[in-house]
Amino acid sequence: MAYSVRHITSFRYHPAVRESVMEVRMQPRTDFRQRRLSFSLDVSPRANTIMYRDFFGNGVHHFDIPGKQNLIEITAQAIVDVLPPPVLRAQDASDWNELDGRVAQGDYWEMLLPSQFATPTPLLEKLAGELELSRHGNPLELLQGLNSRLYEMFDYAPNTTNVDSPIDDALESRRGVCQDFAHIMITLVRGLKIPCRYVSGYLYHEDKGDARVGGGVLGGHGLGFVRSHQQLAGMRAAYPGGGGARLCGRAADAGSV
């Protein structure tokens, strides 16, 4: 299915800034799960943009706006063709030895080290003890089981934590939002030497009252419009044989990414 995505970012300054130098990562990638059909980036006030690729292969647009400005708006528009995710089955996944071999041969160190919001704490170690967390079965089976256990043990409660809250806030209350659960799971999984990283995005909700949604055709595909402002956080873990497993910080399921 092809999705039409329009993302507007507005920066308002009081007092006005003298100059603005920015980098944005708004261009969708083309990979084995999706194909970018078009992309445009508009900056107001107008600016010349320079594009390069970062360490992870993301397209980065850099621009400089000289002179005093009270308002800067960045509009990114894209059409992306997304394939249905394959079904992940634990019985088809590879074993720990294959995962360790892949990690030894690849560059995964940034996905294994502690980070600002994914650092072990005594409360996290207590949770790991409750979960009796250790390597068992195969990596995918463990990831799916851990995801389900965290879903059962924590309550989704908006406005109980902040965007910069440490994991201990959610660990102590057993309440939080998807980003808290993602940070907790990332920290647990990295402790088992499974490379993983934080991912976030927007939920797509079909507006059945809008005749345009799913009604257009683009290259033989239905055209959906992303209108939701609801963000979702989760994690992506690497495992051999499947490319990666996406685990949602708010649900008890997992899918391939």
Side-chain angles (χ1 to χ4, degrees), residues 84-191:
V87 177
L88 296 180
R89 300 193 305 172
Q91 60 267 33
D92 297 333
S94 301
D95 59 19
W96 292 101
N97 290 332
E98 189 168 349
L99 173 64
D100 292 339
R102 176 175 172 177
V103 171
Q105 296 173 6
D107 187 5
Y108 292 99
W109 66 273
E110 285 191 335
M111 300 196 340
L112 288 168
L113 293 175
S115 55
Q116 180 180 358
F117 297 109
T119 299
T121 67
L123 284 177
L124 186 88
E125 296 300 326
K126 180 181 177 181
L127 175 65
E130 293 178 36
L131 294 166
E132 299 182 346
L133 191 62
S134 65
R135 285 187 165 193
H136 64 269
N138 60 54
L140 180 57
E141 185 178 30
L142 183 143
L143 289 169
Q144 292 174 327
L146 177 59
N147 194 54
S148 297
R149 288 292 307 279
L150 293 179
Y151 177 79
E152 296 168 355
M153 298 174 71
F154 287 81
D155 292 327
Y156 182 82
N159 303 317
T160 55
T161 58
N162 300 314
V163 67
D164 58 351
S165 294
I167 58 175
D168 278 355
D169 288 359
L171 286 169
E172 186 171 7
S173 65
R174 297 295 170 97
R175 293 156 56 89
V177 294
C178 48
Q179 74 166 21
D180 302 306
F181 309 147
H183 288 147
I184 290 170
M185 186 162 180
I186 287 170
T187 313
L188 291 170
V189 169
R190 285 177 176 171

Side-chain angles (χ1 to χ4, degrees), residues 21-245:
V21 180
M22 294 191 187
E23 288 187 346
V24 297
R25 290 167 171 81
M26 300 300 299
Q27 178 174 293
R29 298 179 61 160
T30 292
D31 57 23
F32 69 98
R33 272 280 324 278
Q34 67 181 33
R35 185 165 54 103
R36 183 182 64 254
L37 302 180
S38 68
F39 176 75
S40 65
L41 185 74
D42 296 319
V43 180
S44 178
R46 295 184 61 181
N48 292 324
T49 60
I50 300 173
M51 188 267 198
Y52 70 92
R53 297 201 176 276
D54 65 12
F55 175 79
F56 297 105
N58 299 307
V60 183
H61 290 81
H62 171 94
F63 56 88
D64 180 4
I65 304 176
K68 288 188 176 181
Q69 304 294 335
N70 288 109
L71 174 64
I72 297 174
E73 285 195 340
I74 304 167
T75 303
Q77 299 189 82
I79 296 178
V80 184
D81 186 19
V82 181
L83 299 175
V87 177
L88 296 180
R89 300 193 305 172
Q91 60 267 33
D92 297 333
S94 301
D95 59 19
W96 292 101
N97 290 332
E98 189 168 349
L99 173 64
D100 292 339
R102 176 175 172 177
V103 171
Q105 296 173 6
D107 187 5
Y108 292 99
W109 66 273
E110 285 191 335
M111 300 196 340
L112 288 168
L113 293 175
S115 55
Q116 180 180 358
F117 297 109
T119 299
T121 67
L123 284 177
L124 186 88
E125 296 300 326
K126 180 181 177 181
L127 175 65
E130 293 178 36
L131 294 166
E132 299 182 346
L133 191 62
S134 65
R135 285 187 165 193
H136 64 269
N138 60 54
L140 180 57
E141 185 178 30
L142 183 143
L143 289 169
Q144 292 174 327
L146 177 59
N147 194 54
S148 297
R149 288 292 307 279
L150 293 179
Y151 177 79
E152 296 168 355
M153 298 174 71
F154 287 81
D155 292 327
Y156 182 82
N159 303 317
T160 55
T161 58
N162 300 314
V163 67
D164 58 351
S165 294
I167 58 175
D168 278 355
D169 288 359
L171 286 169
E172 186 171 7
S173 65
R174 297 295 170 97
R175 293 156 56 89
V177 294
C178 48
Q179 74 166 21
D180 302 306
F181 309 147
H183 288 147
I184 290 170
M185 186 162 180
I186 287 170
T187 313
L188 291 170
V189 169
R190 285 177 176 171
L192 297 172
K193 305 302 181 185
I194 301 177
C196 59
R197 64 186 181 188
Y198 182 92
V199 296
S200 63
Y202 295 94
L203 285 175
Y204 167 71
H205 294 289
E206 182 177 344
D207 184 355
K208 297 184 181 298
D210 190 335
R212 298 179 305 165
V213 177
V217 174
L218 182 68
H221 298 277
L223 181 61
F225 293 84
V226 178
R227 291 179 171 273
S228 175
H229 292 282
Q230 186 175 12
Q231 288 185 284
L232 181 71
M235 61 156 283
R236 181 186 182 190
Y239 73 93

